[in-house]
Amino acid sequence: MANPATDRPTRGRHHTVQPRLRDRVVDRRKFLIYLAAGSTLTVATKLGLDVLAPGSASAVPTPSLPQPADLQDLGDILILSGKPTEALLFTVEVTEDGRVRAELPRMEVGQGLTTAVAMLVAEELDLPLDQVDMPLAPARPELLMNQLTGGSNSIRSLYGPVRAAAAAARTRLCEAAADRWGVPFDGLRTEGGRVVAADGRSAGFGELTRLAATLPIGELVTKPKSPSEFTLVGTPQQRVDARAMVTGAFKYTLDLDIKGAAPAMVRRPPTINGTVEAVNNEDEVRAMPGVLDIAVIDTGVAVVAETFGQALDAKDALDVTWGAGTVDDLSDEDIRKELRQATVPLIPPVSLPNQLDFQFDWAPINHAPMETNSAVADVRNGRAEIWGGMKSPIVAQQQIAKELGLPQGKVVCHVVQSGGSFGRRLFWDGPLEAARISKATGRVIKLMWSRIDDMRHGRARPAAHHRFRATIGPDTVLRLEHHTAFVETDWTHGLGEILTATSAELPGGDFGFAQTVFMLTVKSPYNFGVVEQVLNEVPLKMHTGAWRSVYSVSSRCGEEIVVDEVAQKLGKDPYEFRRAFLKSDAQRAVLDKVAEAGDWGRSMDDGFAQGIAFHEEYKSRTACLVEIDARDPHDPRVTKAVIAADYGLPINPRGLKAQLLGGLTDAISVTLRAGLHIDKGLPLEGSYSQFHYARQVDSPTDVQIFILPGEGEPGGAGELGVPAAAGAIANAYARATGIAPRSFPINFPVDFEPFPR
């Protein structure tokens, strides 16, 4: 399977492995111990050196103990936290015109969630999919922790409640038909939006809904369908909102026609978290055409005008004296230095002859959704009404009420579908800022952030540094150590309500959330003996947040590079080596699929190569094989990708393929070229022309995606697609160029003139 033309040594630091090592007794009394039970996680980590020595030469993997995410992952915790309010989560309304309406208590941001949940409803009711209407639910504080959209958790948490509610509606409709016709309930069935009797009589749902609503609650047991009975779920379906989106008919926040809403923009400081000391030309700017008001708020100086163009001109004309920000003295190299110093050292600091050491740096990455931060706010007469993209609408409502000094019941938060998120809209920065401006001016406000605002003052996945050490024996890995440091990730949205959000704001609370998320998401899928994972975070006050696959992209990409280089050191084919060390047949199935479909190991010209990688998270697993053209190492291009995934029970395979395709695009971006340069307290990037995210020309024209038939309940989808693709791209680049990537993105010049601060 090896390809001599492309399997060239990579340039990097390597150490010689002893050809023969004597058997020794391994003292494992102090190796890493994980205990996970219920919703409580206890981690005890030995940071010193375990004396490890290989046994006799063997190709058999060294078994690894289960890691926390193997026993209970973050999705399990989120589902558990929502259990107390699960019965309130989802309701189904059958209207007299035969349509079904159900409010979705999660946020749609383009991931296809609305379609997948509508399919579950339509499946249980035997109803055509186009007869299901699914608007987004507003903030529902009675749900407590059960209205957070994140952690690839939406389908996992909704799968049971949605089916139960729809099945209950089906039962009630059949009860109504049985009562009307005087026939046994057991002889009725549903089909095409109708209840059908054994004698052929039928009635549409709309004809029965009024009677069904008035019948006394019976003793019939409602039972959702078995997956073996599904006829719609598991089949590829077009998104229910696709036509509206591509024709421009879809209404995003700024398309809403809210009476009296006036456009507003904000002049922001020249450094992160800078403050306003004085507005030096307020009267002059107030006199500009169309300007309605100016207000100083926590995040800058807001300008309200008759049009967005007038607001933009006016805010750019403001002369403001600014106070210092929170990271004004820091630039890229300063941040990298702090991260390296904060990474818990490997012991001993110098590797032994049978150990390979690796270090990786990752630049911060902006969420950069197509739709920038925007919101509409009406804060008048002792009440507030807010419209915007909110993945944590309950805590948004609670925090906005607190900020405005209003009772929570006087604040209404309408959740609006947004044009992208990638984790960005877990925070309610736009809605809160719009509410502040509305309160300060007494006007209904339609707020828009400029693209420059969004790039420079929006949130980003923080910079990170990773250290890996692989202790190897003959044909095996005995120990894998992974120590990492991130700039502090902001977790103050908590689990979506104010109690956990407040706990994250307490001293050490945010780091506690970070540790929990890290330990419940990042895991090695390989039998590499003793596996140690250690996270530290540097408390720099920057605008950070969870970006797609949070800690896993850089962690698992780094490990997949380690796997390739260890395989090379041991003289093994990268695919065969992975296959031997993966822990389960389900994992090997997706790896085998991409190797077969992608013709792994085929002969390629100089400058071209294949790369392969694997990832497992949130009860789902995927493998990716890519081919790269890196004849110019400074301008590489992925030319082909083969991806396979096992999500357990797939709801909408077409939607899952779209998620994986999006993950591939994200991986191409952050692995090869996209990131933020921090210069004296501010990102240099200010537009898509400067933020080098993958364009159409950067995307491979040959992409094959396979959704393997899985069993059990659905696994998570949104986070899965990035880490394996990133690892495959990095490995392909190394094989094509002979250059071992250690800093990401690989090509990261400042090849633009930054906009003025």
Side-chain angles (χ1 to χ4, degrees), residues 15-356:
H15 305 277
T16 303
V17 180
Q18 299 176 24
R20 291 289 177 185
L21 294 169
R22 291 173 295 175
D23 293 346
R24 294 179 59 186
V25 176
V26 179
D27 180 1
R28 301 194 180 197
R29 291 174 296 174
K30 295 182 179 180
F31 65 87
L32 184 64
I33 298 170
Y34 299 111
L35 300 174
S39 60
T40 302
L41 171 68
T42 303
V43 182
T45 308
K46 175 189 177 294
L47 300 182
L49 172 66
D50 284 328
V51 180
L52 284 176
S56 59
S58 173
V60 178
T62 306
S64 297
L65 290 176
Q67 297 167 261
D70 289 315
L71 302 173
Q72 188 173 56
D73 65 24
L74 181 63
D76 294 324
I77 298 298
L78 293 174
I79 292 169
L80 185 63
S81 70
K83 282 293 182 182
T85 60
E86 189 177 81
L88 305 174
L89 190 58
F90 199 79
T91 58
V92 173
E93 175 189 0
V94 181
T95 62
E96 290 188 301
D97 61 359
R99 298 189 67 80
V100 169
R101 184 182 188 277
E103 290 188 342
L104 180 61
R106 296 291 187 271
M107 185 184 173
E108 172 72 71
V109 289
Q111 75 274 48
L113 179 60
T114 304
T115 303
V117 177
M119 288 174 67
L120 291 173
V121 173
E123 180 69 71
E124 289 295 336
L125 283 164
D126 295 305
L127 186 75
L129 182 58
D130 61 7
Q131 289 184 229
V132 179
D133 299 316
M134 191 155 291
L136 303 184
R140 295 178 55 195
E142 73 275 9
L143 294 179
L144 300 179
M145 303 174 189
N146 211 352
Q147 205 178 356
L148 176 78
T149 307
S152 295
N153 183 58
S154 292
I155 289 295
R156 289 180 66 187
S157 61
L158 292 171
Y159 178 68
V162 167
R163 293 169 62 227
R170 170 167 44 83
T171 298
R172 295 289 288 172
L173 291 165
C174 288
E175 283 184 313
D179 183 81
R180 171 181 289 185
W181 297 329
V183 299
F185 174 89
D186 291 344
L188 301 176
R189 60 185 173 85
T190 50
E191 178 183 313
R194 304 182 69 82
V195 178
V196 182
D199 61 9
R201 280 181 293 177
S202 71
F205 289 172
E207 303 172 56
L208 298 169
T209 184
R210 188 179 294 273
L211 176 58
T214 61
L215 288 175
I217 297 175
E219 297 181 357
L220 290 173
V221 176
T222 297
K223 184 179 180 181
K225 291 182 180 180
S226 165
S228 63
E229 302 175 89
F230 289 165
T231 58
L232 176 64
V233 168
T235 65
Q237 298 294 319
Q238 185 68 36
R239 285 181 50 157
V240 295
D241 53 5
R243 180 175 294 276
M245 294 177 73
V246 299
T247 59
F250 198 92
K251 290 188 179 297
Y252 296 96
T253 299
L254 293 181
D255 298 316
L256 299 178
D257 186 15
I258 307 300
K259 184 177 180 179
M265 299 188 75
V266 176
R267 176 69 179 270
R268 302 182 190 279
T271 57
I272 293 172
N273 292 321
T275 58
V276 178
E277 292 191 348
V279 180
N280 303 315
N281 63 340
E282 182 174 342
D283 290 343
E284 177 184 334
V285 174
R286 282 184 179 275
M288 291 180 66
V291 173
L292 302 174
D293 210 343
I294 294 175
V296 175
I297 57 174
D298 288 5
T299 48
V301 184
V303 176
V304 185
E306 294 176 357
T307 69
F308 278 116
Q310 292 168 335
L312 177 63
D313 289 342
K315 70 104 173 173
D316 286 345
L318 285 167
D319 177 14
V320 183
T321 301
W322 299 101
T326 52
V327 290
D328 291 6
D329 297 329
L330 295 180
S331 297
D332 284 336
E333 190 52 45
D334 306 305
I335 295 170
R336 280 193 290 267
K337 182 178 179 180
E338 292 213 25
L339 289 169
R340 290 166 184 164
Q341 291 174 343
T343 305
V344 176
L346 297 168
I347 306 297
V350 178
S351 59
L352 300 175
N354 63 324
Q355 295 176 329
L356 301 178

Side-chain angles (χ1 to χ4, degrees), residues 378-389:
D378 182 358
V379 182
R380 297 178 298 172
N381 305 318
R383 56 177 294 281
E385 194 166 8
I386 316 292
W387 294 261

Side-chain angles (χ1 to χ4, degrees), residues 102 141 216 219 311 316 379 445 548 596 628 685 723 734:
E219 297 181 357
D316 286 345
V379 182
I445 294 300
R548 191 177 187 185
E596 177 187 5
I628 199 168
E685 283 75 10

